[in-house]
């Protein structure tokens, strides 16, 4: 319930704040989450050891874990902003290889896009909707279901459809 309340408040408050405070807010909240979530911190550290190697220096590991927390918080803050972005979304991203998708569309072909989870996927798929391309994204359902519905509504606010998997 606490996570839902935090997401609901974030989605209501953040879009009304000046853009200049988004980055400092992300930094502050990431630091707070890093300090207050030892279980998540340990889980991220365990995962990063797989990436960086078991012999990684503790300071390097700590920096990497803090970076994960910062990127995750920034991604959530950007999610909260989605309903207010509109077509401005295209000004926040650089699309490389767009001509390949256009060529397939002109040939009347559908496209299945598979991608690594690099950057904010919630933000990047919105470019397709902004360019009037229908898209359905498979998403793991969050628990509890009402949290999933809130996040899904934010993600779908610009025309992208999200379909829960495993349901």
């Amino acid at each position: 319930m606490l996570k839902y309340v935090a997401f609901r408040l974030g989605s209501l408050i953040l879009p009304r704040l000046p853009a200049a405070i988004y980055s400092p807010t992300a930094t502050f909240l990431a630091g707070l989450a890093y300090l207050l979530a030892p279980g998540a911190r340990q889980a991220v550290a365990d995962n990063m050891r797989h990436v960086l190697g078991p012999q990684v220096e503790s300071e390097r590991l700590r920096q990497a874990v803090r970076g994960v927390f910062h990127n995750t918080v920034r991604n959530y803050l950007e999610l909260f902003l989605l309903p207010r972005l509109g077509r401005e979304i295209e000004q926040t991203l650089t699309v490389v290889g767009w001509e390949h998708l256009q060529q397939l569309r002109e040939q009347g072909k559908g496209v299945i896009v598979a991608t690594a989870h690099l950057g904010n996927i919630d933000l990047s798929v919105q470019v397709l909707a902004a360019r009037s391309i229908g898209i359905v994204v498979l998403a793991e359902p969050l628990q509890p279901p009402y949290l999933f519905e809130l996040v899904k509504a934010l993600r779908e606010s610009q025309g992208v459809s999200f379909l829960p998997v495993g349901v």
Side-chain angles (χ1 to χ4, degrees):
M1 181 65 158
L2 181 60
K3 192 172 189 178
Y4 173 81
V5 170
F7 273 59
R8 188 75 180 126
L9 286 173
S11 69
L12 293 172
I13 295 169
L14 191 71
R16 291 170 171 74
L17 299 176
I21 71 163
Y22 296 157
S23 184
T25 299
T27 300
F28 171 76
L29 292 175
L32 192 61
Y34 178 87
L35 292 173
L36 297 178
R41 187 173 61 239
Q42 185 61 48
V44 172
D46 292 344
N47 287 337
M48 292 307 294
R49 277 190 199 91
H50 290 290
V51 174
L52 301 172
Q55 306 306 325
V56 64
E57 295 176 13
S58 60
E59 180 57 23
R60 169 87 169 100
L61 179 62
R62 188 187 69 75
Q63 288 174 351
V65 171
R66 289 185 75 93
V68 168
F69 272 78
H70 186 267
N71 287 336
T72 300
V73 169
R74 192 182 74 227
N75 288 347
Y76 281 123
L77 296 182
E78 290 171 350
L79 172 66
F80 299 150
L81 297 174
L82 277 181
R84 303 266 193 310
L85 279 179
R87 297 193 66 78
E88 298 170 26
I89 192 75
E90 293 202 61
Q91 297 168 0
T92 64
L93 301 170
T94 301
V95 179
V96 177
W98 181 256
E99 66 278 4
H100 303 294
L101 181 61
Q102 275 303 107
Q103 182 181 14
L104 292 170
R105 290 192 69 220
E106 289 167 6
Q107 295 172 10
K109 296 182 179 182
V111 177
I112 296 174
V113 177
T115 181
H117 201 296
L118 299 173
N120 188 341
I121 192 68
D122 290 322
L123 194 59
S124 41
V125 298
Q126 303 301 326
V127 171
L128 297 169
R131 294 182 181 186
S132 301
I133 296 176
I135 181 170
V136 177
V137 177
L138 302 177
E140 180 182 359
L142 300 172
Q143 293 301 323
Y146 52 86
L147 176 61
F148 177 72
E149 290 303 318
L150 171 61
V151 171
K152 185 173 175 279
L154 292 166
R155 288 174 164 170
E156 292 182 339
S157 65
Q158 298 299 321
V160 174
S161 295
F162 280 77
L163 181 66
V165 295
V167 178

